[in-house]
Amino acid sequence: ETVLTQFPGTLSLSPGDRVSLSCRASQAVGARYVAWYQKKPGQTPRLLMYGASTRPTGIPDRFSGSGSGTDFTLTITSLEPEDFAVYYCHQYYGSPHTFGGGTKVEMK
Amino acid sequence: QVQLVQSGGEVKKPGSSVKISCRASGFTFTSFGFSWVRQAPGQGLEWMGWISVHNPDTSNAQKFQGRVILTADKATNTAYMELRGLRFDDTAVYYCARSGPMRFDTSGFYHFWGQGTLVTVSS
């Protein structure tokens, strides 16, 4: 099983800040098999990125993804008030799929 | 439009079973797979398993081996997740999500999700 470790666990930031969220896999995962989701309390997870760096239609371009092998990053260039949430990385290479533990982005 | 509509919340006794449905519409049901993900209170997202409707294939997380049964009914475009031997720590919101039809599938991410079903295990 591929374990995904996200760090840091929590970030305290302000609107307008730039943030980079990290996700490290315990073994190499093809870049085409990594996704990122945003999760807010009481809401369904929202797909932000798939294939490590592809944004679905409707996701603002302030979100970008990068990485390959074992290290992946989600970057938000300028935080908007609606971006304060928990972010999860996900690998879907074969089985089992796994999620990272999440990074909470909270308002300072 | 793509929709996944899950069955309603359940309250169950420890040791019992729960079966959650996920009715799909707006796409060709047999061209995809479905994953099940849960989130316990205050915890992160946890992958439970996957079933392909396209192929006769299914896979469960080791943690749920022997307790979770995934099925799909092509006649009604509905995926099901049954969890047996419920424990208090199975209290969670359970989600279905549309996934790829193959194990190694670059479309295996979850663009579409059901609304979630709260299962409460209580004596």
Side-chain angles (χ1 to χ4, degrees), chain A residues 44-102:
Chain A
T44 296
R46 178 192 184 197
L47 177 69
L48 296 176
M49 207 70 58
Y50 63 92
S53 60
T54 302
R55 272 192 317 274
T57 302
I59 300 301
D61 61 6
R62 64 179 181 274
F63 293 93
S64 64
S66 64
S68 63
T70 60
D71 291 295
F72 298 88
T73 301
L74 178 73
T75 298
I76 310 171
T77 53
S78 179
L79 279 168
E80 297 288 337
E82 63 267 28
D83 299 337
F84 291 92
V86 181
Y87 293 83
Y88 294 92
C89 57
H90 163 222
Q91 67 82 22
Y92 45 97
Y93 183 71
S95 185
H97 292 195
T98 48
F99 288 95

Short mmCIF file of all heavy atoms in Angstrom, two decimals, chain A residues 44-102:
data_model
loop_
_atom_site.label_atom_id
_atom_site.label_comp_id
_atom_site.label_asym_id
_atom_site.label_seq_id
_atom_site.Cartn_x
_atom_site.Cartn_y
_atom_site.Cartn_z
N THR A 44 -19.32 17.97 0.16
CA THR A 44 -18.68 16.89 -0.57
C THR A 44 -17.27 17.33 -1.00
O THR A 44 -17.06 18.51 -1.31
CB THR A 44 -19.53 16.56 -1.80
OG1 THR A 44 -20.79 16.09 -1.37
CG2 THR A 44 -18.87 15.54 -2.70
N PRO A 45 -16.32 16.40 -1.01
CA PRO A 45 -14.99 16.78 -1.52
C PRO A 45 -15.08 17.32 -2.95
O PRO A 45 -15.89 16.86 -3.74
CB PRO A 45 -14.22 15.45 -1.48
CG PRO A 45 -14.89 14.66 -0.41
CD PRO A 45 -16.34 15.01 -0.51
N ARG A 46 -14.24 18.27 -3.23
CA ARG A 46 -14.20 18.94 -4.54
C ARG A 46 -12.87 18.63 -5.21
O ARG A 46 -11.81 18.89 -4.63
CB ARG A 46 -14.37 20.43 -4.34
CG ARG A 46 -14.30 21.30 -5.61
CD ARG A 46 -14.19 22.75 -5.20
NE ARG A 46 -14.20 23.69 -6.32
CZ ARG A 46 -13.80 24.96 -6.22
NH1 ARG A 46 -13.36 25.43 -5.06
NH2 ARG A 46 -13.85 25.74 -7.27
N LEU A 47 -12.93 18.07 -6.40
CA LEU A 47 -11.71 17.77 -7.15
C LEU A 47 -11.07 19.06 -7.63
O LEU A 47 -11.70 19.87 -8.32
CB LEU A 47 -12.05 16.89 -8.35
CG LEU A 47 -10.89 16.54 -9.29
CD1 LEU A 47 -9.90 15.60 -8.60
CD2 LEU A 47 -11.42 15.91 -10.58
N LEU A 48 -9.80 19.26 -7.27
CA LEU A 48 -9.05 20.45 -7.68
C LEU A 48 -8.05 20.17 -8.79
O LEU A 48 -7.76 21.05 -9.61
CB LEU A 48 -8.27 21.01 -6.49
CG LEU A 48 -9.03 21.54 -5.30
CD1 LEU A 48 -8.05 21.96 -4.21
CD2 LEU A 48 -9.94 22.70 -5.70
N MET A 49 -7.50 18.97 -8.77
CA MET A 49 -6.40 18.64 -9.67
C MET A 49 -6.38 17.15 -9.90
O MET A 49 -6.62 16.38 -8.96
CB MET A 49 -5.07 19.07 -9.03
CG MET A 49 -3.94 19.41 -9.97
SD MET A 49 -4.22 20.94 -10.88
CE MET A 49 -4.43 22.11 -9.54
N TYR A 50 -6.12 16.72 -11.12
CA TYR A 50 -5.90 15.31 -11.38
C TYR A 50 -4.70 15.18 -12.31
O TYR A 50 -4.26 16.18 -12.90
CB TYR A 50 -7.14 14.63 -11.97
CG TYR A 50 -7.58 15.16 -13.32
CD1 TYR A 50 -7.12 14.58 -14.50
CD2 TYR A 50 -8.48 16.22 -13.41
CE1 TYR A 50 -7.53 15.06 -15.73
CE2 TYR A 50 -8.90 16.71 -14.63
CZ TYR A 50 -8.43 16.12 -15.80
OH TYR A 50 -8.84 16.59 -17.01
N GLY A 51 -4.16 13.96 -12.41
CA GLY A 51 -2.95 13.80 -13.18
C GLY A 51 -1.85 14.72 -12.69
O GLY A 51 -1.01 15.17 -13.47
N ALA A 52 -1.87 15.02 -11.42
CA ALA A 52 -0.90 15.86 -10.70
C ALA A 52 -1.00 17.34 -11.06
O ALA A 52 -0.78 18.21 -10.20
CB ALA A 52 0.54 15.38 -10.90
N SER A 53 -1.33 17.67 -12.30
CA SER A 53 -1.22 19.07 -12.71
C SER A 53 -2.34 19.54 -13.63
O SER A 53 -2.23 20.65 -14.18
CB SER A 53 0.13 19.30 -13.41
OG SER A 53 0.24 18.47 -14.56
N THR A 54 -3.40 18.79 -13.77
CA THR A 54 -4.51 19.17 -14.65
C THR A 54 -5.69 19.65 -13.83
O THR A 54 -6.17 18.93 -12.95
CB THR A 54 -4.92 18.00 -15.54
OG1 THR A 54 -3.81 17.55 -16.31
CG2 THR A 54 -6.05 18.42 -16.49
N ARG A 55 -6.12 20.86 -14.13
CA ARG A 55 -7.29 21.42 -13.43
C ARG A 55 -8.56 21.05 -14.16
O ARG A 55 -8.67 21.25 -15.37
CB ARG A 55 -7.20 22.96 -13.40
CG ARG A 55 -6.47 23.57 -12.26
CD ARG A 55 -6.73 25.10 -12.22
NE ARG A 55 -6.70 25.72 -13.53
CZ ARG A 55 -5.60 26.15 -14.11
NH1 ARG A 55 -4.44 26.01 -13.50
NH2 ARG A 55 -5.65 26.71 -15.31
N PRO A 56 -9.56 20.55 -13.42
CA PRO A 56 -10.87 20.32 -14.08
C PRO A 56 -11.48 21.66 -14.47
O PRO A 56 -11.13 22.70 -13.92
CB PRO A 56 -11.70 19.64 -12.98
CG PRO A 56 -10.72 19.17 -11.96
CD PRO A 56 -9.56 20.10 -12.04
N THR A 57 -12.40 21.60 -15.39
CA THR A 57 -13.14 22.80 -15.79
C THR A 57 -13.79 23.43 -14.57
O THR A 57 -14.41 22.74 -13.75
CB THR A 57 -14.20 22.43 -16.83
OG1 THR A 57 -13.57 21.82 -17.95
CG2 THR A 57 -14.96 23.66 -17.28
N GLY A 58 -13.64 24.74 -14.46
CA GLY A 58 -14.29 25.44 -13.37
C GLY A 58 -13.40 25.70 -12.16
O GLY A 58 -13.78 26.47 -11.27
N ILE A 59 -12.24 25.08 -12.09
CA ILE A 59 -11.32 25.32 -10.98
C ILE A 59 -10.47 26.55 -11.33
O ILE A 59 -9.84 26.60 -12.40
CB ILE A 59 -10.44 24.10 -10.71
CG1 ILE A 59 -11.30 22.89 -10.34
CG2 ILE A 59 -9.41 24.42 -9.61
CD1 ILE A 59 -12.17 23.09 -9.11
N PRO A 60 -10.44 27.54 -10.44
CA PRO A 60 -9.68 28.78 -10.75
C PRO A 60 -8.20 28.52 -10.98
O PRO A 60 -7.62 27.60 -10.40
CB PRO A 60 -9.89 29.62 -9.49
CG PRO A 60 -11.10 29.06 -8.82
CD PRO A 60 -11.12 27.60 -9.15
N ASP A 61 -7.60 29.37 -11.81
CA ASP A 61 -6.20 29.14 -12.15
C ASP A 61 -5.24 29.56 -11.05
O ASP A 61 -4.02 29.43 -11.22
CB ASP A 61 -5.85 29.83 -13.48
CG ASP A 61 -6.03 31.33 -13.45
OD1 ASP A 61 -6.33 31.87 -12.36
OD2 ASP A 61 -5.92 31.96 -14.51
N ARG A 62 -5.74 30.04 -9.93
CA ARG A 62 -4.84 30.27 -8.78
C ARG A 62 -4.39 28.94 -8.18
O ARG A 62 -3.45 28.90 -7.39
CB ARG A 62 -5.50 31.15 -7.71
CG ARG A 62 -6.72 30.57 -7.04
CD ARG A 62 -7.26 31.54 -5.98
NE ARG A 62 -8.43 31.02 -5.29
CZ ARG A 62 -9.67 31.15 -5.72
NH1 ARG A 62 -9.91 31.79 -6.86
NH2 ARG A 62 -10.69 30.64 -5.02
N PHE A 63 -5.07 27.84 -8.53
CA PHE A 63 -4.68 26.50 -8.10
C PHE A 63 -3.79 25.88 -9.19
O PHE A 63 -4.15 25.88 -10.38
CB PHE A 63 -5.90 25.60 -7.89
CG PHE A 63 -6.77 26.00 -6.74
CD1 PHE A 63 -7.87 26.82 -6.92
CD2 PHE A 63 -6.50 25.54 -5.45
CE1 PHE A 63 -8.68 27.19 -5.86
CE2 PHE A 63 -7.31 25.90 -4.38
CZ PHE A 63 -8.40 26.73 -4.58
N SER A 64 -2.65 25.35 -8.74
CA SER A 64 -1.80 24.63 -9.68
C SER A 64 -1.17 23.44 -8.98
O SER A 64 -1.03 23.44 -7.75
CB SER A 64 -0.70 25.54 -10.27
OG SER A 64 0.18 25.96 -9.25
N GLY A 65 -0.83 22.43 -9.76
CA GLY A 65 -0.24 21.22 -9.19
C GLY A 65 1.03 20.85 -9.93
O GLY A 65 1.18 21.15 -11.11
N SER A 66 1.92 20.19 -9.21
CA SER A 66 3.16 19.74 -9.83
C SER A 66 3.67 18.52 -9.09
O SER A 66 3.16 18.16 -8.02
CB SER A 66 4.20 20.86 -9.79
OG SER A 66 4.54 21.18 -8.45
N GLY A 67 4.70 17.93 -9.66
CA GLY A 67 5.36 16.82 -8.99
C GLY A 67 5.44 15.58 -9.84
O GLY A 67 4.78 15.45 -10.87
N SER A 68 6.26 14.66 -9.37
CA SER A 68 6.42 13.37 -10.01
C SER A 68 7.13 12.45 -9.04
O SER A 68 7.70 12.90 -8.03
CB SER A 68 7.22 13.48 -11.31
OG SER A 68 8.53 13.92 -11.04
N GLY A 69 7.06 11.15 -9.34
CA GLY A 69 7.76 10.19 -8.47
C GLY A 69 7.09 10.07 -7.11
O GLY A 69 6.02 9.48 -6.98
N THR A 70 7.72 10.64 -6.10
CA THR A 70 7.18 10.54 -4.75
C THR A 70 6.79 11.88 -4.14
O THR A 70 6.24 11.91 -3.05
CB THR A 70 8.20 9.88 -3.80
OG1 THR A 70 9.39 10.67 -3.78
CG2 THR A 70 8.52 8.45 -4.23
N ASP A 71 7.06 12.98 -4.82
CA ASP A 71 6.80 14.29 -4.25
C ASP A 71 5.87 15.12 -5.12
O ASP A 71 6.17 15.35 -6.30
CB ASP A 71 8.11 15.04 -4.01
CG ASP A 71 8.92 14.42 -2.90
OD1 ASP A 71 8.46 14.46 -1.75
OD2 ASP A 71 10.01 13.88 -3.20
N PHE A 72 4.79 15.57 -4.51
CA PHE A 72 3.77 16.32 -5.24
C PHE A 72 3.39 17.57 -4.45
O PHE A 72 3.46 17.57 -3.21
CB PHE A 72 2.54 15.44 -5.49
CG PHE A 72 2.86 14.24 -6.32
CD1 PHE A 72 3.30 13.06 -5.73
CD2 PHE A 72 2.77 14.30 -7.70
CE1 PHE A 72 3.63 11.96 -6.50
CE2 PHE A 72 3.11 13.20 -8.48
CZ PHE A 72 3.55 12.03 -7.88
N THR A 73 3.01 18.61 -5.18
CA THR A 73 2.70 19.89 -4.55
C THR A 73 1.45 20.50 -5.16
O THR A 73 1.27 20.47 -6.38
CB THR A 73 3.88 20.87 -4.74
OG1 THR A 73 5.07 20.31 -4.17
CG2 THR A 73 3.59 22.21 -4.06
N LEU A 74 0.62 21.04 -4.29
CA LEU A 74 -0.52 21.87 -4.71
C LEU A 74 -0.21 23.29 -4.27
O LEU A 74 0.07 23.52 -3.09
CB LEU A 74 -1.81 21.39 -4.08
CG LEU A 74 -3.06 22.22 -4.41
CD1 LEU A 74 -3.49 21.98 -5.85
CD2 LEU A 74 -4.21 21.90 -3.45
N THR A 75 -0.27 24.22 -5.20
CA THR A 75 0.02 25.62 -4.89
C THR A 75 -1.21 26.47 -5.13
O THR A 75 -1.91 26.29 -6.13
CB THR A 75 1.19 26.14 -5.76
OG1 THR A 75 2.36 25.37 -5.46
CG2 THR A 75 1.47 27.61 -5.46
N ILE A 76 -1.48 27.34 -4.18
CA ILE A 76 -2.53 28.36 -4.33
C ILE A 76 -1.80 29.69 -4.34
O ILE A 76 -1.16 30.05 -3.35
CB ILE A 76 -3.56 28.30 -3.20
CG1 ILE A 76 -4.07 26.87 -2.99
CG2 ILE A 76 -4.74 29.23 -3.50
CD1 ILE A 76 -4.95 26.68 -1.76
N THR A 77 -1.87 30.42 -5.44
CA THR A 77 -1.02 31.60 -5.59
C THR A 77 -1.45 32.76 -4.70
O THR A 77 -0.63 33.51 -4.20
CB THR A 77 -0.99 32.07 -7.05
OG1 THR A 77 -2.33 32.22 -7.52
CG2 THR A 77 -0.26 31.06 -7.93
N SER A 78 -2.77 32.91 -4.49
CA SER A 78 -3.26 34.01 -3.66
C SER A 78 -4.56 33.56 -3.01
O SER A 78 -5.59 33.44 -3.68
CB SER A 78 -3.48 35.26 -4.52
OG SER A 78 -3.99 36.32 -3.71
N LEU A 79 -4.49 33.28 -1.72
CA LEU A 79 -5.64 32.71 -1.04
C LEU A 79 -6.85 33.64 -1.06
O LEU A 79 -6.75 34.83 -0.73
CB LEU A 79 -5.28 32.40 0.41
CG LEU A 79 -4.52 31.11 0.69
CD1 LEU A 79 -3.98 31.10 2.11
CD2 LEU A 79 -5.40 29.90 0.44
N GLU A 80 -7.97 33.07 -1.44
CA GLU A 80 -9.25 33.75 -1.33
C GLU A 80 -9.95 33.27 -0.06
O GLU A 80 -9.65 32.17 0.44
CB GLU A 80 -10.11 33.45 -2.56
CG GLU A 80 -9.54 33.95 -3.87
CD GLU A 80 -9.63 35.47 -3.99
OE1 GLU A 80 -10.49 36.09 -3.30
OE2 GLU A 80 -8.84 36.06 -4.76
N PRO A 81 -10.89 34.04 0.47
CA PRO A 81 -11.57 33.62 1.70
C PRO A 81 -12.20 32.23 1.60
O PRO A 81 -12.22 31.48 2.58
CB PRO A 81 -12.64 34.70 1.88
CG PRO A 81 -12.06 35.91 1.23
CD PRO A 81 -11.29 35.39 0.04
N GLU A 82 -12.66 31.87 0.41
CA GLU A 82 -13.32 30.56 0.24
C GLU A 82 -12.33 29.40 0.15
O GLU A 82 -12.73 28.24 0.06
CB GLU A 82 -14.22 30.57 -0.99
CG GLU A 82 -13.52 30.80 -2.32
CD GLU A 82 -13.49 32.27 -2.71
OE1 GLU A 82 -13.51 33.14 -1.81
OE2 GLU A 82 -13.43 32.55 -3.94
N ASP A 83 -11.05 29.68 0.15
CA ASP A 83 -10.03 28.63 0.04
C ASP A 83 -9.64 28.03 1.38
O ASP A 83 -8.88 27.05 1.42
CB ASP A 83 -8.77 29.16 -0.65
CG ASP A 83 -9.02 29.65 -2.07
OD1 ASP A 83 -10.02 29.20 -2.68
OD2 ASP A 83 -8.23 30.47 -2.55
N PHE A 84 -10.14 28.59 2.46
CA PHE A 84 -9.78 28.04 3.77
C PHE A 84 -10.57 26.76 3.98
O PHE A 84 -11.80 26.76 4.02
CB PHE A 84 -10.02 29.08 4.87
CG PHE A 84 -9.06 30.22 4.76
CD1 PHE A 84 -9.38 31.36 4.03
CD2 PHE A 84 -7.80 30.15 5.35
CE1 PHE A 84 -8.47 32.40 3.89
CE2 PHE A 84 -6.89 31.19 5.22
CZ PHE A 84 -7.23 32.31 4.48
N ALA A 85 -9.84 25.65 4.06
CA ALA A 85 -10.44 24.32 4.01
C ALA A 85 -9.35 23.30 4.31
O ALA A 85 -8.20 23.66 4.61
CB ALA A 85 -11.03 24.06 2.62
N VAL A 86 -9.71 22.02 4.22
CA VAL A 86 -8.73 20.95 4.32
C VAL A 86 -8.47 20.40 2.91
O VAL A 86 -9.41 20.22 2.12
CB VAL A 86 -9.22 19.82 5.25
CG1 VAL A 86 -8.15 18.72 5.35
CG2 VAL A 86 -9.53 20.37 6.64
N TYR A 87 -7.20 20.15 2.62
CA TYR A 87 -6.80 19.67 1.30
C TYR A 87 -6.20 18.27 1.42
O TYR A 87 -5.37 18.02 2.31
CB TYR A 87 -5.79 20.63 0.67
CG TYR A 87 -6.44 21.96 0.35
CD1 TYR A 87 -6.57 22.94 1.33
CD2 TYR A 87 -6.94 22.22 -0.91
CE1 TYR A 87 -7.21 24.15 1.05
CE2 TYR A 87 -7.57 23.42 -1.21
CZ TYR A 87 -7.71 24.37 -0.22
OH TYR A 87 -8.33 25.56 -0.51
N TYR A 88 -6.64 17.38 0.53
CA TYR A 88 -6.18 15.99 0.55
C TYR A 88 -5.56 15.64 -0.79
O TYR A 88 -6.11 15.96 -1.86
CB TYR A 88 -7.35 15.03 0.78
CG TYR A 88 -7.99 15.14 2.14
CD1 TYR A 88 -9.09 15.98 2.36
CD2 TYR A 88 -7.50 14.41 3.23
CE1 TYR A 88 -9.68 16.09 3.60
CE2 TYR A 88 -8.09 14.51 4.48
CZ TYR A 88 -9.17 15.35 4.65
OH TYR A 88 -9.75 15.45 5.89
N CYS A 89 -4.43 14.94 -0.73
CA CYS A 89 -3.91 14.33 -1.95
C CYS A 89 -4.41 12.88 -2.00
O CYS A 89 -4.79 12.30 -0.98
CB CYS A 89 -2.39 14.41 -2.02
SG CYS A 89 -1.49 13.67 -0.64
N HIS A 90 -4.39 12.32 -3.19
CA HIS A 90 -4.98 10.99 -3.44
C HIS A 90 -4.18 10.35 -4.56
O HIS A 90 -3.90 10.98 -5.58
CB HIS A 90 -6.45 11.20 -3.84
CG HIS A 90 -7.11 10.03 -4.51
ND1 HIS A 90 -7.94 10.20 -5.61
CD2 HIS A 90 -7.11 8.70 -4.24
CE1 HIS A 90 -8.40 9.02 -5.99
NE2 HIS A 90 -7.91 8.09 -5.18
N GLN A 91 -3.79 9.09 -4.36
CA GLN A 91 -3.15 8.37 -5.45
C GLN A 91 -4.07 7.22 -5.87
O GLN A 91 -4.68 6.54 -5.03
CB GLN A 91 -1.74 7.88 -5.07
CG GLN A 91 -1.67 6.81 -4.00
CD GLN A 91 -1.93 5.42 -4.54
OE1 GLN A 91 -1.77 5.14 -5.73
NE2 GLN A 91 -2.35 4.50 -3.66
N TYR A 92 -4.17 7.05 -7.18
CA TYR A 92 -5.10 6.05 -7.72
C TYR A 92 -4.40 5.11 -8.70
O TYR A 92 -4.98 4.66 -9.68
CB TYR A 92 -6.32 6.73 -8.36
CG TYR A 92 -6.03 7.92 -9.25
CD1 TYR A 92 -5.95 7.79 -10.63
CD2 TYR A 92 -5.87 9.18 -8.70
CE1 TYR A 92 -5.71 8.89 -11.44
CE2 TYR A 92 -5.61 10.29 -9.50
CZ TYR A 92 -5.54 10.14 -10.87
OH TYR A 92 -5.30 11.23 -11.67
N TYR A 93 -3.13 4.83 -8.36
CA TYR A 93 -2.35 3.90 -9.19
C TYR A 93 -2.61 2.49 -8.71
O TYR A 93 -2.14 2.08 -7.64
CB TYR A 93 -0.87 4.25 -9.10
CG TYR A 93 0.00 3.40 -9.97
CD1 TYR A 93 -0.02 3.55 -11.35
CD2 TYR A 93 0.87 2.46 -9.43
CE1 TYR A 93 0.77 2.77 -12.17
CE2 TYR A 93 1.67 1.68 -10.23
CZ TYR A 93 1.62 1.84 -11.60
OH TYR A 93 2.42 1.07 -12.41
N GLY A 94 -3.38 1.74 -9.46
CA GLY A 94 -3.67 0.37 -9.08
C GLY A 94 -4.59 0.33 -7.86
O GLY A 94 -5.47 1.15 -7.69
N SER A 95 -4.32 -0.61 -6.98
CA SER A 95 -5.14 -0.78 -5.79
C SER A 95 -4.26 -1.25 -4.64
O SER A 95 -3.37 -2.07 -4.84
CB SER A 95 -6.24 -1.81 -6.08
OG SER A 95 -7.11 -1.92 -4.99
N PRO A 96 -4.50 -0.77 -3.43
CA PRO A 96 -5.58 0.14 -3.05
C PRO A 96 -5.26 1.61 -3.38
O PRO A 96 -4.10 2.00 -3.43
CB PRO A 96 -5.65 -0.04 -1.53
CG PRO A 96 -4.24 -0.33 -1.13
CD PRO A 96 -3.67 -1.15 -2.26
N HIS A 97 -6.32 2.38 -3.57
CA HIS A 97 -6.15 3.83 -3.60
C HIS A 97 -5.86 4.27 -2.16
O HIS A 97 -6.24 3.59 -1.20
CB HIS A 97 -7.42 4.53 -4.06
CG HIS A 97 -7.77 4.28 -5.48
ND1 HIS A 97 -8.70 5.06 -6.16
CD2 HIS A 97 -7.33 3.37 -6.39
CE1 HIS A 97 -8.82 4.63 -7.40
NE2 HIS A 97 -8.01 3.59 -7.56
N THR A 98 -5.21 5.41 -2.02
CA THR A 98 -4.99 5.94 -0.69
C THR A 98 -5.09 7.47 -0.71
O THR A 98 -4.86 8.10 -1.75
CB THR A 98 -3.62 5.55 -0.11
OG1 THR A 98 -2.60 5.79 -1.10
CG2 THR A 98 -3.59 4.08 0.28
N PHE A 99 -5.41 8.02 0.44
CA PHE A 99 -5.45 9.47 0.64
C PHE A 99 -4.37 9.86 1.64
O PHE A 99 -4.01 9.08 2.54
CB PHE A 99 -6.79 9.91 1.24
CG PHE A 99 -7.94 9.85 0.28
CD1 PHE A 99 -8.76 8.73 0.24
CD2 PHE A 99 -8.22 10.91 -0.56
CE1 PHE A 99 -9.84 8.68 -0.64
CE2 PHE A 99 -9.29 10.87 -1.44
CZ PHE A 99 -10.11 9.75 -1.48
N GLY A 100 -3.88 11.06 1.49
CA GLY A 100 -3.05 11.64 2.53
C GLY A 100 -3.91 12.05 3.72
O GLY A 100 -5.14 12.06 3.63
N GLY A 101 -3.25 12.38 4.82
CA GLY A 101 -3.97 12.74 6.03
C GLY A 101 -4.60 14.12 6.01
O GLY A 101 -5.37 14.46 6.91
N GLY A 102 -4.26 14.91 5.01
CA GLY A 102 -4.86 16.23 4.87
C GLY A 102 -4.00 17.34 5.45
O GLY A 102 -3.25 17.14 6.41
#
